[in-house]
Amino acid sequence: MFAKKILKKLSVAFCLIVSTYAATEVTEIEVVQSLGLGKAVPGYFKILTFDKARWNAFADEFPAQPVAQGIKQNLESIQLSPVVFSREEIYASEFFKQKMRETYDLSFRAERTFAPFMRAVDSDGMFAGILNILHTTEGDAVGFEAAVEELMVQSQSVVASYNHRLEASGGNSELLKHFLSKIFFANDTYTNSVLTNMRLVLLADGLVAGDDYLFGSEIDPSHTIAQSLLKCIELEGAADTLVLGCGHSLVADVTGTSAYFADDFSKAYTKKAFVNSCQHCHCDHDGQIAVAITEGGPSANISYDGGAHADIFGDAVTSSFWDALAQLKTEGRSPIKNIIDHAFMLSVHEEFISNSLDIGGTFRTYLTDLTEKLAVVGLELQGTEKFGARTEYIYVKVR
């Protein structure tokens, strides 16, 4: 243990010396940074543990650093165990009481009086008060009771799906990714010796792993998304599906659930500040490699926060991205057999998509009117699948 501490201190000291030297090369660093760390130069890192004691110990090593203290102060927002709930608990929640009131206002109120005020009643009082208003109109009371029951079924489905994904993923990583992005993707990541020190400690303590250059003393402008893909596969295991513009949601897509219902419910019910960063869709992308989309080019003011639900943050709509995929396929190192487009941005990338897939590979997208364009490059429409209000089109490469 003593030897490990000595080695760690020596490694940190060496890294500080290198970073101090690098900080003197201001002009060169500024030019390299203009490439857009995590944008033109892709970024991938993986959180290796959710052990709160170990993350607290990391934060204690940097008492003057706001990002480290942010991690410490928000650790309790990381949800690790399934939410224990019952029908009665859901019904008694402030969230459910509010939803009952909203249901009345939207569907039944018309010219009637207001529903009971939120602060004046509990859930029983809200339910009884609304029924008392509706009982004089034939059918409305029955309709309201049915709407409340439907809301209960949706709520139970959401929590059950949330728990399933929570257990499958081993916890909610979005909170830590939010803070770690401020260490790995800050504008002064390679000129700030403390940030360099923090990255080295994260690596040495086995808290985080990822692209090698992220733990070095300077950016590697030659790093490609192909390298990030290979590192992701190395650390997380091979996945045959790549999803673009979306990520690992902890909330399922429950039939009949309105937009944002699932996330809003989970936040209110679990009392957690960070529940699910992926609002793009509620599809299940577990076991797939997720790549975020950086819109607007390298100069766009986009942080990793926007891709905290994804595995890799990089510009997945450029030719370099598709060249990397095609290169891996040519070299026989690409496990990708399926590409899912949830970015709504790939309408002019049909040739790139085809070149990245072997015959029999699939491409799925919400975009319409692509059948003729994709047929030209050997992708034929095989069917559709409904996800809530959206329809996903499924294409297979036939030649």
Side-chain angles (χ1 to χ4, degrees):
M1 180 65 71
F2 178 76
K4 179 182 178 182
K5 288 184 177 179
I6 293 295
L7 286 173
K8 177 178 171 182
K9 288 181 178 179
L10 288 172
S11 298
V12 170
F14 173 75
C15 196
L16 286 173
I17 292 171
V18 173
S19 64
T20 302
Y21 170 77
T24 64
E25 303 294 324
V26 175
T27 302
E28 182 179 353
I29 290 292
E30 286 179 347
V31 171
V32 171
Q33 282 190 343
S34 68
L35 291 171
L37 182 59
K39 298 172 187 175
V41 180
Y44 160 76
F45 64 81
K46 175 180 174 60
I47 297 168
L48 299 179
T49 178
F50 289 102
D51 187 321
K52 294 181 182 180
R54 293 175 65 183
W55 281 102
N56 266 313
F58 166 74
D60 288 341
E61 292 195 44
F62 303 94
Q65 291 304 307
V67 63
Q69 297 314 300
I71 290 174
K72 187 180 184 71
Q73 293 163 12
N74 288 278
L75 278 176
E76 292 309 312
S77 282
I78 302 174
Q79 184 74 30
L80 295 176
S81 58
V83 179
V84 178
F85 71 98
S86 67
R87 184 183 177 92
E88 291 73 23
E89 287 171 321
I90 293 174
Y91 175 76
S93 68
E94 286 294 303
F95 173 86
F96 200 81
K97 180 174 68 172
Q98 178 180 337
K99 287 298 179 182
M100 284 194 289
R101 195 179 199 281
E102 290 176 3
T103 298
Y104 167 75
D105 288 341
L106 290 172
S107 302
F108 300 98
R109 182 173 172 250
E111 300 301 323
R112 300 183 183 92
T113 186
F114 288 102
F117 289 110
M118 290 286 293
R119 295 182 182 179
V121 296
D122 59 11
S123 289
D124 281 331
M126 180 65 72
F127 185 68
I130 292 174
L131 283 182
N132 187 56
I133 297 170
L134 295 174
H135 82 280
T136 57
T137 305
E138 184 178 355
D140 278 0
V142 174
F144 176 72
E145 289 180 315
V148 170
E149 179 59 29
E150 182 181 356
L151 180 63
M152 176 61 70
V153 171
Q154 290 175 348
S155 301
Q156 290 176 309
S157 297
V158 168
V159 177
S161 297
Y162 173 83
N163 282 338
H164 168 71
R165 297 187 184 194
L166 192 69
E167 292 177 298
S169 62
N172 182 356
S173 65
E174 281 78 2
L175 171 73
L176 285 179
K177 280 190 174 181
H178 168 80
F179 287 107
L180 290 172
S181 68
K182 302 178 187 301
I183 299 173
F184 287 103
F185 297 100
N187 290 331
D188 59 344
T189 288
Y190 293 108
T191 58
N192 185 319
S193 60
V194 176
L195 291 180
T196 302
N197 188 3
M198 293 174 80
R199 297 198 310 276
L200 186 66
V201 171
L202 288 168
L203 182 65
D205 285 354
L207 298 175
V208 176
D211 291 324
D212 294 339
Y213 83 90
L214 292 180
F215 300 94
S217 59
E218 61 183 22
I219 193 172
D220 178 5
S222 67
H223 182 87
T224 67
I225 206 162
Q227 291 169 291
S228 289
L229 281 169
L230 291 173
K231 178 63 75 169
C232 181
I233 292 167
E234 173 190 329
L235 292 175
E236 302 195 37
D240 65 1
T241 300
L242 196 65
V243 56
L244 309 179
C246 205
H248 306 300
S249 170
L250 285 178
V251 185
D253 182 24
V254 180
T255 301
T257 299
S258 58
Y260 304 110
F261 174 90
D263 192 55
D264 291 344
F265 174 84
S266 294
K267 284 183 178 177
Y269 190 72
T270 64
K271 302 298 189 293
K272 302 295 182 181
F274 288 78
V275 175
N276 168 40
S277 294
C278 179
Q279 288 283 22
H280 191 74
C281 88
H282 294 143
C283 297
D284 188 351
H285 296 307
D286 287 338
Q288 301 170 351
I289 299 176
V291 181
I293 300 292
T294 63
E295 302 179 47
S299 62
N301 184 24
I302 302 172
S303 74
Y304 192 84
D305 294 347
H309 57 282
D311 297 306
I312 299 170
F313 190 52
D315 198 341
V317 293
T318 62
S319 60
S320 60
F321 168 79
W322 297 104
D323 288 344
L325 279 186
Q327 176 188 343
L328 288 180
K329 183 171 79 76
T330 301
E331 295 172 354
R333 296 194 295 164
S334 174
I336 303 304
K337 302 183 185 305
N338 313 288
I339 296 174
I340 300 175
D341 163 33
H342 283 176
F344 295 89
M345 296 172 65
L346 304 185
S347 59
V348 296
H349 293 74
E350 61 272 11
E351 189 170 350
F352 290 124
I353 295 166
S354 181
N355 290 341
S356 301
L357 293 171
D358 288 318
I359 291 176
T362 67
F363 172 62
R364 305 170 70 111
T365 180
Y366 289 134
L367 291 172
T368 59
D369 303 323
L370 294 184
T371 303
E372 291 185 8
K373 292 178 65 177
L374 292 176
V376 173
V377 295
L379 290 164
E380 289 188 358
L381 182 64
Q382 296 293 305
T384 61
E385 188 172 349
K386 294 284 291 185
F387 289 91
R390 293 174 177 168
T391 299
E392 193 168 75
Y393 297 83
I394 306 165
Y395 296 86
V396 175
K397 184 169 181 178
V398 295
R399 57 176 172 81

